[in-house]
Amino acid sequence: MKINDVIEGLPRYREAAGQLREMVLANLVMMGEIPAPTFHEENRVRFLQDRFSECGLQNCSTDEIGNGFGIYPGENQDGHILLIAHADTIFDEKTDHTISLQSEWVKGPGVGDNSLGMAVLATLPFLMEQVEFKPRSSIILMGATRSLGRGDLEGLRFFLKNNRMPIRCALCVEGVQFGRLSYSSLGMLRGEIEVHVPEMYDWTRFGAAGAIITLNDVINRINQIRLPKRPKTSIVLGSIRGGTAFNTTATQAVLRFEIRSESADVVRSIHEQIEDAIGEISSETNAEIELDILARRKPGGTGFRHPLVRRAREIMRALDIEPRIAPSTSELSALIDHKIPAVTLGLTTGERLNQPDERIRIDPMFAGLAQLLGMLKAIDGGLCDEH
Amino acid sequence: MNIDQWLQENTFHHSHFWDFRHMVEAKEKQDLTVSLCIPTLNEEKTIGKEIVIFKSELMSRYPLLDEIAVIDSGSTDQTREVAASFGADVYLASEILPEVGEKKGKGENLWKAIYQLKGDIIIYVDADIKNIHPRFAYGLLAPLIYHPEIKYVKAFYDRPLAFSTGVRPTGGGRVTEILVRPLFSLFFPELTAIVQPLSGEYAVRREVLEAIPFPIGYGVETSHLIDVYTRWGLGAFGQTDLDQRVHRNQPTRDLGKMAFGIIQTFLSRAKSLNIIPELPELNHALRQFQSKEGTFEQVEYHIAEEERPPMMDVSAYREKFGRHP
């Protein structure tokens, strides 16, 4: 097989995906209306399992961590292709999960991240039947649990640790953004800093103004950390909360942050500097400051010239998708740890991501699906193997 | 058939009907055609989702529906465009049977659907359901497929929270519990077994739909129940628990208008059935009150429940469907 054989099939794949529009959207709506906060994805995974069973996939099962699987059987058992979408979202069960559908948009919490990814897993077996794609490799379709935040990719890590099936390549599917091509993982450390002022705190003695001011001191110190231009490094201050009312001094405040860098040494060094700053501020104010590390990633990845990445670029260009190359800290890093060549792909464009009114465009989804099918075909045909 | 027996035999839960393949086989064996009708008026926010879900699940995956139609009362938003873009057949109620004229009301759309749609069974589903799911259609269709003696299936919604005693109250909305159930208890006690007589979702055989008149406004559901009951008996009904329905909640003043329309329909039926033989001429003005800068003023609404005749009385219908009077 040559890459042109795949590229020639892409218009047909896109058309076939468009013919399944109602099915994709119905799966998206029904999937998206099932709350799936991290550690509570069971109902969403059950829906995925039902879909897999309905279309006759083999080995539809869940594992101890709650991951959901279906295997699309190939003609030989030499190596499997792993297709993953994370099942969890950042929205809790109390959030109104109603999805609304307009002619061009789908709107609702988590539609792009990652209800669409899961809906596409549920639809893919039908699409493969439609285009009569009979793979040689079996395809493992996986709804991965406990991916986000404190989940720290626990579902995928559990699978990779306990899996006995040989895996030749993996594709991670994210609803957004269209054209996303991630093939490397950044070094990352995700943490939470909690400032707690004891109930019996002697305000007159220390002169402190509560947990929020103390946390502000911590933030100022983090901002003073010098970041190198090379290797690329950043500190993301992701969320902050604290206090209870207008007129009550806050006794508790929490900061969530991530350190990201191409270098593991830089991540380590910044982590140490934050620890030092916390120790110093704690001794000055007598406030209790705890640093809780929730997740770590090692930097690494599949190379830019790896055939998997090259084929992804070629397929995207053939579909007029401009590749947006960006490193990832998601599922990709767990795969890289296990030396499995992998890329992350996005399926459509979206706005207001991770807000309750997150919305994604319908029309690009079909090119997004064609891209995914093209990648499966290329991997299955041996075009993405490193020689 | 007494109420207890009916509740045992004719009350279902949508989960009884999980085997879609079996349902499709049973439908095909009987050579039935099924139409889904969604009456609309400015429902652009929810209509797309309803159509996509019904089309994907109950047409493409499992061919239980033969057509999905939107009968619109003249929406001024994008309802018709959105519905058409997702593949529904869209009709403007005023363009169906134009020779009989145009009346405004949901019942008008339901009535005209009998002429426009082809199904042996028509499922009516409102367009304002936020948590739309295929059960809203198949849960109502299945009793008609599996029980030839049932002709009319109503939806009810009952999702119990935790109850320690095992006994809990259940029933309908405010207008049901305050008006319709007391009226039925007085005059048609057996109809009280229908948990939510005013629910807007039901599936009905054509032979019934074409034979009963249709109030065009609030009274359509109440009149259906009375007419079907008096003609075919309680055994012709089924009801299915569809769990939860999330929709817009109506303010009490609007429920007052609804109750006003329903009671007109009820009294008209009571008179024609000779249950209340003598009635004075009814006033059709509903008066509600509002306070403005310390003084009270009345707001008057004219609500007269007009009725469409049984479709069998319309010659164009008889011609189209080859019926003989």
Side-chain angles (χ1 to χ4, degrees), chain B residues 252-273:
Chain B
T252 305
R253 290 175 78 89
D254 288 354
L255 296 183
K257 294 177 205 163
M258 184 194 284
F260 189 66
I262 288 171
I263 204 158
Q264 285 181 44
T265 300
F266 185 89
L267 291 172
S268 135
R269 286 293 179 279
K271 188 178 178 187
S272 61
L273 292 168

Side-chain angles (χ1 to χ4, degrees), chain A residues 48-49 52 55 57 59 61 68-72 81-85 120-125 128 138-144 376:
Chain A
L48 182 69
Q49 292 290 106
F52 287 163
C55 53
L57 288 198
N59 298 336
S61 61
F69 300 93
I71 298 183
Y72 195 98
I81 303 169
L82 178 62
L83 196 61
I84 312 154
V120 160
L121 285 197
T123 313
L124 200 68
M128 290 171 65
S138 292
I139 299 171
I140 305 169
L141 301 165
M142 175 181 186
L376 288 173

Side-chain angles (χ1 to χ4, degrees), chain A residues 134-147:
Chain A
K134 294 183 174 61
R136 281 180 287 179
S137 299
S138 292
I139 299 171
I140 305 169
L141 301 165
M142 175 181 186
T145 57
R146 306 186 190 182
S147 278

Side-chain angles (χ1 to χ4, degrees), chain A residues 271-292:
Chain A
H271 177 202
E272 286 168 4
Q273 291 178 68
I274 291 177
E275 276 184 329
D276 291 347
I278 286 171
E280 213 171 301
I281 293 168
S282 180
S283 67
E284 285 165 8
T285 61
N286 212 28
E288 292 169 9
I289 309 180
E290 279 180 32
L291 172 59
D292 191 5

Side-chain angles (χ1 to χ4, degrees), chain A residues 21-82:
Chain A
R21 183 175 76 146
E22 278 75 28
M23 191 179 287
V24 176
L25 295 175
N27 280 334
L28 173 57
V29 168
M30 288 192 280
M31 191 76 78
E33 293 193 341
I34 304 171
T38 306
F39 298 106
H40 297 283
E41 307 92 342
E42 55 278 5
N43 291 337
R44 195 172 280 210
V45 169
R46 191 176 306 126
F47 178 77
L48 182 69
Q49 292 290 106
D50 289 346
R51 291 288 161 178
F52 287 163
S53 303
E54 277 176 39
C55 53
L57 288 198
Q58 290 182 349
N59 298 336
C60 299
S61 61
T62 51
D63 63 16
E64 293 160 52
I65 299 288
N67 293 310
F69 300 93
I71 298 183
Y72 195 98
E75 288 163 2
N76 67 44
Q77 298 297 316
D78 295 346
H80 294 63
I81 303 169
L82 178 62

Side-chain angles (χ1 to χ4, degrees), chain A residues 131-163:
Chain A
V131 299
E132 296 174 340
F133 172 32
K134 294 183 174 61
R136 281 180 287 179
S137 299
S138 292
I139 299 171
I140 305 169
L141 301 165
M142 175 181 186
T145 57
R146 306 186 190 182
S147 278
L148 304 173
R150 287 176 181 271
D152 192 20
L153 307 178
E154 190 180 350
L156 180 57
R157 287 186 208 280
F158 178 87
F159 169 71
L160 293 172
K161 189 176 168 192
N162 297 286
N163 164 52

Side-chain angles (χ1 to χ4, degrees), chain B residues 274-290:
Chain B
N274 223 17
I275 294 169
I276 308 175
E278 293 300 324
L279 273 178
E281 183 143 345
L282 297 176
N283 181 7
H284 292 136
L286 172 70
R287 293 186 182 84
Q288 294 179 333
F289 290 85
Q290 62 188 21

